[in-house]
C-alpha cells in the first residue's frame, strides 16, 4: 500500500514540477516582451537587457521542462542530446547578451546617455522578485520531497533571476529617486555579470552529467 501511495505522490509532484517549468516559460515570454518594449521606449538599457535575459531563460525553461519529463520516466538517466543542445544554445545566447550589454553600457557611460525614466524598471523588478521567489520556494519544496538534484538545481538557477531583479530594482530605483548619471549603465553591467555566470554554468552542465547549483 505504501508503494502505491509513494508512486501516486511522485506522479503528483512531477506534475507540479512540470507546471512550475511551464509557468516559468510563459512568464518569461511575457516579461521579456514587456521589458524589452518598455526598456526601448524609456531608453533604459538595464530594463531592456533584463527583458532580453528573460527570452534566453525561455530556451533554458524548455530544456528544464524536457528534463522533468525525462527524469519522471527514467529517474536514473543522464542528460539527453536535446537537453545538452538546449544548454549550449542558452550558453551562447547568454555570452552574446553579455557582449552586447557591456559594450552598450560602456558606450552610454562614455556618451553620457541617460534613460528617460526607470519607473517601469522598478515596477517590473518588484513583480519579478515576488514571482521568482515564490517559484524558488515551490521548486525547492518539490525537489526536496522527490530528493531530486536536477529540480533543486533548477530552483537555485531561478534564484539567480531574483538576484538580477534586485539589481534592476536598485539601479532603477536610485535613478528614479535621485537621477544619478550612469546608474542605469552600472546596473546593466551588474546584469551582465550574472548573465556571464549563467552562460558559463550552461556549458558546464552541457559537458557533464552533474547538475550545478547556479551560484
Amino acid at each position: 500500500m505504501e508503494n502505491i501511495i509513494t508512486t501516486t505522490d511522485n506522479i503528483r509532484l512531477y506534475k507540479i514540477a512540470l507546471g512550475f517549468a511551464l509557468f516559468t516559460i510563459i512568464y518569461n515570454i511575457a516579461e521579456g516582451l514587456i521589458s524589452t518594449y518598455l526598456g526601448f521606449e524609456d531608453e533604459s538599457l538595464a530594463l531592456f537587457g533584463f527583458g532580453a535575459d528573460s527570452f534566453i531563460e525561455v530556451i533554458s525553461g524548455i530544456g528544464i521542462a524536457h528534463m522533468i519529463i525525462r527524469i519522471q520516466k527514467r529517474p536514473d538517466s543522464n542528460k539527453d542530446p536535446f537537453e545538452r543542445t538546449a544548454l549550449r544554445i542558452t550558453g551562447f545566447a547568454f555570452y552574446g547578451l553579455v557582449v552586447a550589454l557591456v559594450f552598450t553600457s560602456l558606450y552610454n557611460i562614455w556618451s553620457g546617455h541617460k534613460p528617460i525614466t526607470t519607473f517601469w524598471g522598478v515596477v517590473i523588478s518588484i513583480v519579478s522578485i515576488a514571482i521568482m521567489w515564490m517559484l524558488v520556494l515551490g521548486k525547492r519544496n518539490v525537489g526536496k520531497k522527490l530528493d531530486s538534484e536536477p529540480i533543486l538545481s533548477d530552483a537555485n538557477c531561478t534564484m539567480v533571476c531574483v538576484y538580477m531583479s534586485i539589481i534592476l530594482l536598485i539601479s532603477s530605483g536610485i535613478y528614479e529617486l535621485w537621477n544619478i548619471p550612469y546608474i542605469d549603465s552600472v546596473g546593466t553591467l551588474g546584469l551582465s555579470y550574472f548573465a556571464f555566470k549563467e552562460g558559463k554554468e550552461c556549458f558546464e552542465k552541457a559537458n557533464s552529467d552533474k547538475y550545478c547549483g547556479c551560484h
Side-chain angles (χ1 to χ4, degrees), residues 56 59 83-94 202-203:
I56 300 174
I59 304 172
E83 290 170 57
R84 295 183 192 276
T85 301
L87 284 166
R88 291 189 180 99
I89 292 172
T90 305
F92 279 119
F94 274 127
C202 285
F203 284 111

Side-chain angles (χ1 to χ4, degrees), residues 32-43:
L33 289 170
I34 295 170
S35 297
T36 51
Y37 172 76
L38 292 174
F40 179 80
E41 288 292 310
D42 296 341
E43 299 182 17

Side-chain angles (χ1 to χ4, degrees), residues 182-201:
Y182 317 133
I183 192 67
D184 186 70
S185 295
V186 171
T188 304
L189 292 174
L191 295 177
S192 301
Y193 167 76
F194 281 105
F196 176 81
K197 287 189 69 175
E198 285 195 278
K200 182 172 179 288
E201 188 89 18

Side-chain angles (χ1 to χ4, degrees), residues 9-28:
D9 286 344
N10 282 354
I11 292 172
R12 179 180 61 83
L13 288 169
Y14 275 116
K15 285 183 178 179
I16 293 173
L18 182 59
F20 284 144
L22 295 176
F23 176 82
T24 303
I25 293 170
I26 295 169
Y27 176 79
N28 275 310

Side-chain angles (χ1 to χ4, degrees), residues 59-60 62-64 66-67 70 76-92 199 201-211:
I59 304 172
S60 175
I62 293 170
I64 295 297
H66 177 86
M67 176 198 74
R70 171 182 60 78
D76 297 325
S77 61
N78 292 322
K79 297 184 188 78
D80 60 21
F82 180 90
E83 290 170 57
R84 295 183 192 276
T85 301
L87 284 166
R88 291 189 180 99
I89 292 172
T90 305
F92 279 119
E201 188 89 18
C202 285
F203 284 111
E204 289 175 354
K205 287 181 178 180
N207 297 323
S208 170
D209 289 326
K210 294 181 178 180
Y211 293 90

